[in-house]
Amino acid sequence: MWRGGKYQFLPFAVTVAAIVMTNLLTGILVGLGVSLLFILYSNFRKPIHQVMEKHLSGNVMRIELPPTVSFFNRAAMQKALYGVVRGVTVLIDARNCDYIDPDILDLLNDFKNVTAKAHGVEFKSIGLKERYGKFGEQEVVFADYSSREVQSSLKPAEVLEILKAGHERFLRGRPLVRDLRRQAGATAAAQFPIAAVLGCIDSRAPVEHIFDLGLGEAFVARIAGNVARDKMIGSLEYACGVAGSKVLLVLGHTSCGAVRASVDLKVAGKKASEATGCDHLDDLVAIIQGSIDSTQLKDFSSWSDDRKRAFADEVAQKNVVNTISYIRENSRILDRLVRENKILMVGAIYDVNTGKVTFL
């Protein structure tokens, strides 16, 4: 009750007050009425929530239970369960639930043991084991990961759509439910990632989060400025040419420090090692500066900060395009895989302000 907040004590307080101000019988009746209204309010305020999730191995209907599930929720729960079509997995998410009416538990148990099997629906749950023993032995937390069969069955265009769908979940704040510990065990023996992503080391652009990816689903290579030269290309060749990834995504981002520094150094006519004391930055900066049109830098020092940021973002986009061109020009196997339609090589820009990815 304490976890539910102070309002959980409201029916009790009203009952006591009614008894004091009237009599015992009237007070109890008033308390029962308030309790009933309180239950109705709780159910309408936080109803059962359904989310259809598209995992790599199939669709999962996740049914999120509110903190209190009473007999008033039976009709909604029954409609949700019996509306699931054959081949879909039902995942009951009870992690935020404090109380489930016995009638609802019986409904879930009957569906799990009888109806789900008859209709070709798989029943899984999270959070029921701790409180309700009847679900303990068969509770299975849904763990999805890319297997050899999943990887080989997907076409490059389908993988790209999976990345886009994952990004939409990221934008909505509705990531897939995953048991990462179980995924770790499931992918320990082998990995079959469906995509390879070349991104920047910027801490604000975490690829796995941006595309809502689990363990074993993508190779992620990160370097300042998301540039590619021999060693990086070798990693990408392995990812797509040997390990079977179907999409190679080059992901740049706005407000990139490496790009902005490359622009500033270009204007100042200095090397990165001279300006920073970092001896290994010169080659990296030189690559990024290949995407800068020097003719556009006239009167750069007089530009406003907004104009400078906008220009740097334009350079970041050109850098992505140039990186893709460089990879294809310098990797025979990746270029061949693209020409044979065995992989897609695409570019995108992640906006660190809005969290949105724009595919180029």
Side-chain angles (χ1 to χ4, degrees), residues 54-96:
K54 188 174 183 180
H55 289 255
L56 291 180
S57 57
N59 292 332
V60 177
M61 172 60 77
R62 177 156 59 99
I63 301 177
E64 300 177 359
L65 303 186
T68 300
V69 184
S70 71
F71 58 90
F72 290 108
N73 295 113
R74 181 180 175 85
M77 177 65 75
Q78 192 166 6
K79 181 179 180 181
L81 291 173
Y82 286 84
V84 179
V85 299
R86 180 178 295 273
V88 173
T89 297
V90 171
L91 177 63
I92 303 297
D93 188 348
R95 290 175 295 178
N96 296 320

Side-chain angles (χ1 to χ4, degrees), residues 340-358:
E340 294 176 352
N341 297 318
K342 293 182 178 179
I343 69 169
L344 281 176
M345 194 179 302
V346 295
I349 293 291
Y350 172 69
D351 191 323
V352 298
N353 293 300
T354 64
K356 184 174 179 59
V357 169
T358 300

Side-chain angles (χ1 to χ4, degrees), residues 209-285:
H209 291 288
I210 292 171
F211 295 103
D212 189 25
L213 297 169
L215 302 183
E217 293 184 7
F219 288 107
V220 179
R222 300 179 68 174
I223 183 173
N226 43 271
V227 298
R229 285 301 182 265
D230 291 348
K231 292 182 175 61
M232 183 62 73
I233 290 177
S235 295
L236 300 176
E237 286 180 337
Y238 171 79
C240 297
V242 179
S245 294
K246 303 293 182 67
V247 167
L248 198 169
L249 172 64
V250 178
L251 181 66
H253 65 92
T254 62
S255 301
C256 180
V259 172
R260 180 61 186 270
S262 298
V263 173
D264 291 340
L265 290 169
K266 183 83 169 180
V267 173
K270 294 183 178 180
K271 289 187 176 182
S273 57
E274 179 184 352
T276 66
C278 300
D279 296 330
H280 296 86
L281 284 179
D282 287 339
D283 290 343
L284 189 150
V285 168

Side-chain angles (χ1 to χ4, degrees), residues 312-325:
D313 289 345
E314 291 177 7
V315 173
Q317 182 170 323
K318 291 178 183 177
N319 182 51
V320 168
V321 174
N322 289 341
T323 297
I324 292 175
S325 297

Side-chain angles (χ1 to χ4, degrees), residues 83-341:
V84 179
V85 299
R86 180 178 295 273
V88 173
T89 297
V90 171
L91 177 63
I92 303 297
D93 188 348
R95 290 175 295 178
N96 296 320
C97 187
D98 296 319
Y99 172 78
I100 302 178
D101 187 272
D103 190 45
I104 301 296
L105 289 175
D106 289 339
L107 174 64
L108 292 175
N109 200 44
D110 289 342
F111 182 83
K112 178 188 71 172
N113 295 323
V114 181
T115 309
K117 295 178 181 179
H119 291 180
V121 173
E122 190 170 5
F123 181 96
K124 297 184 180 181
S125 63
I126 300 176
L128 291 177
K129 179 180 179 180
E130 298 176 359
R131 301 181 180 88
Y132 307 103
K134 66 174 68 177
F135 294 94
E137 294 182 359
Q138 298 186 20
E139 171 156 336
V140 180
V141 176
F142 190 82
D144 195 15
Y145 56 92
S146 180
S147 62
R148 185 190 302 274
E149 293 75 16
V150 170
Q151 185 196 61
S152 61
S153 67
L154 290 171
K155 297 178 181 179
E158 292 174 326
V159 173
L160 183 58
E161 289 305 312
I162 289 173
L163 293 179
K164 290 180 177 180
H167 178 58
E168 287 300 318
R169 293 193 299 272
F170 166 76
L171 289 176
R172 297 196 309 268
R174 305 291 300 183
L176 295 180
V177 173
R178 291 185 173 94
D179 183 350
L180 295 180
R181 182 184 299 177
R182 190 168 176 224
Q183 277 192 344
T187 58
Q191 60 172 338
F192 303 96
I194 60 175
V197 182
L198 170 58
C200 182
I201 64 169
D202 196 293
S203 62
R204 300 164 297 174
V207 172
E208 290 87 349
H209 291 288
I210 292 171
F211 295 103
D212 189 25
L213 297 169
L215 302 183
E217 293 184 7
F219 288 107
V220 179
R222 300 179 68 174
I223 183 173
N226 43 271
V227 298
R229 285 301 182 265
D230 291 348
K231 292 182 175 61
M232 183 62 73
I233 290 177
S235 295
L236 300 176
E237 286 180 337
Y238 171 79
C240 297
V242 179
S245 294
K246 303 293 182 67
V247 167
L248 198 169
L249 172 64
V250 178
L251 181 66
H253 65 92
T254 62
S255 301
C256 180
V259 172
R260 180 61 186 270
S262 298
V263 173
D264 291 340
L265 290 169
K266 183 83 169 180
V267 173
K270 294 183 178 180
K271 289 187 176 182
S273 57
E274 179 184 352
T276 66
C278 300
D279 296 330
H280 296 86
L281 284 179
D282 287 339
D283 290 343
L284 189 150
V285 168
I287 296 171
I288 298 174
Q289 288 178 340
S291 298
I292 301 173
D293 184 353
S294 300
T295 62
Q296 296 181 328
L297 295 176
K298 185 178 180 181
D299 300 324
F300 181 82
S301 59
S302 64
W303 289 7
S304 66
D305 289 340
D306 288 343
R307 185 179 177 186
K308 290 178 180 178
R309 279 193 293 269
F311 180 77
D313 289 345
E314 291 177 7
V315 173
Q317 182 170 323
K318 291 178 183 177
N319 182 51
V320 168
V321 174
N322 289 341
T323 297
I324 292 175
S325 297
Y326 186 89
I327 292 172
R328 293 197 62 176
E329 291 169 1
N330 291 274
S331 173
R332 289 179 299 168
I333 185 171
L334 292 176
D335 182 62
R336 175 174 60 80
L337 290 173
V338 172
R339 286 186 285 103
E340 294 176 352
N341 297 318

Side-chain angles (χ1 to χ4, degrees), residues 38-47 68-70 72-73:
F38 189 81
I39 292 173
L40 289 171
Y41 171 74
S42 298
N43 281 276
F44 284 114
R45 185 169 62 93
K46 293 184 178 180
T68 300
V69 184
S70 71
F72 290 108
N73 295 113

